[in-house]
Amino acid sequence: MTSEADQRLRELAVTTLQDNFQQTHTVPSRTLYPHQWSWDAGFIAVGLAHIAPERAWRDLRSLFEAQWEDGRVPHIAFDTDNNTREYFPGPRFWASDQVAGTPSRPTSGIVQPPIHAVAAWDVYQCVAEEPVARRTAVEELRWLYPRLVAQQRYLAKERDVAGGGLASLVHPWESGLDNSPAWDDALAAVPPDPDVEVRAHRRDLAVSVESHRPTDADYSRYIALARAYRAQEYLDKRLAERHSFLVECPAFNAIAGAAEHALAKIAEVVGADPTPHRVRAAEITRALIARLYDPATGMFHARDVRADRLTAKRCVNGLVPLILPDLPQEQVEGILAEAGSPRFGWPDQTGMPLPSYDRTASDTDPLRYWRGPVWININWLLWRGLRQHGHPERARSLRRSILDLVSRSGCFEYFHPDTGEGIGTAEFSWTAALVLDLLAHQEDA
Ligand code: 9WN
């Protein structure tokens, strides 16, 4: 790919992020996701750092202004000023205004992977050489630091349902990998919602293709779980007894571990003590290995906490612990071997970034969301892991495959793992943002 093509790609990415800007923050997509999403905001900030750092900080602030008093950062912070921007389930469904300790901006009541400390540290590093931008960055980090700490504390204290040092998720949406086969077993035990005719409410189907989205059966359980959690006013007490879906996700928890590593560095800049973050990071890595690593497969698997069982499915979230700088060699090698097997296939074998699910599984679906397509954010995380663990050649070819794919198909939400066709919504913000970050890493070219 020529640098001219990279230049065109950069322009496309910049335009996408400009078009998705909404007063104080960037929406993931104007059509499908017209509000602010939590982990999207982190990825978006990483990209904005290269073109408009002040907007990167603004996006993060906007999200953390919607943080709850208990420390949780909601997975959606809603924009209510324009009622044409509907989304199901919206603010009325979540009813955060009925719950104590919530912000004035309506939000959902569940969380998403805590990528924000990693993002904030990236944004800071991007501007650290410029004195004026650095001063602003330090101020922003000072504002964010206690909020990031509260976010981590919420996950560690309120969500460690199994008591083994990992956060449990109460809803597939919390993983960000909504309909991943990783949740199939645990979700099968959840009774679908008997009262809500989900088809009539699903706005996603008006703006996207049905075969590319989760099914009605999925949605019926999504709604049942959200209603059950809402009925308990989103309190996490006694979750083990009363909530029908509890899972430990290797990607979510690895991101929480990476957040502690980032917080240790942020603490040094803002004059706080980095030690507790280093301790906690090491604890998370140990807990991930003890609870979610399977030496027989060489990768990590989601745990169904209620059944106390690892899922046998090989999903891409099981490779994401590669982002942990302190992941021991045995697990690093296990992940590299799995990523190089026909199940995932490095780009030198397939010409593609890694898919979301085992290519050889009988239930893989190249079009349906997190059950087979390629997603850019996950590949960006793996690219970071490769660089971190000293695999520059692999990192280079993964980077190139991501840039070539988006150059060819556009800033789509996800991509067919064989043809590279763009799927889901076009003009998707995190695809644009992470492309900008990859383009900025010319040393990897
Ligand atoms: C539910 C916004 C979000 C992403 C998730 C992705 C999708 C929402 C949906 O879009 O989820 O949160 O309506 O399907 O799965 O990762 O954060 O881009």
Side-chain angles (χ1 to χ4, degrees), residues 14-26:
V14 170
T15 309
T16 302
L17 288 179
Q18 260 154 10
D19 290 350
N20 288 347
F21 187 57
Q22 180 75 46
Q23 287 150 24
T24 60
H25 56 269
T26 311

Side-chain angles (χ1 to χ4, degrees), residues 27-29 32-33 35-40 43 75-76 87-89 110 112-113 172-179 204 213-214 219 222 369-370 375 377 413 425 428 430:
V27 296
S29 147
L32 195 52
Y33 310 117
H35 303 277
Q36 189 174 29
W37 257 260
S38 172
W39 77 328
D40 298 62
F43 295 124
H75 102 295
I76 308 174
Y87 174 80
F88 172 73
I110 57 172
Q112 262 189 337
W173 282 333
E174 292 199 315
S175 69
L177 282 65
D178 309 349
N179 68 343
D204 58 323
R213 294 285 303 171
Y219 258 82
Y222 297 164
Y369 223 37
W370 294 95
W375 289 76
N377 62 336
E413 188 183 4
T425 184
F428 187 63
W430 85 39

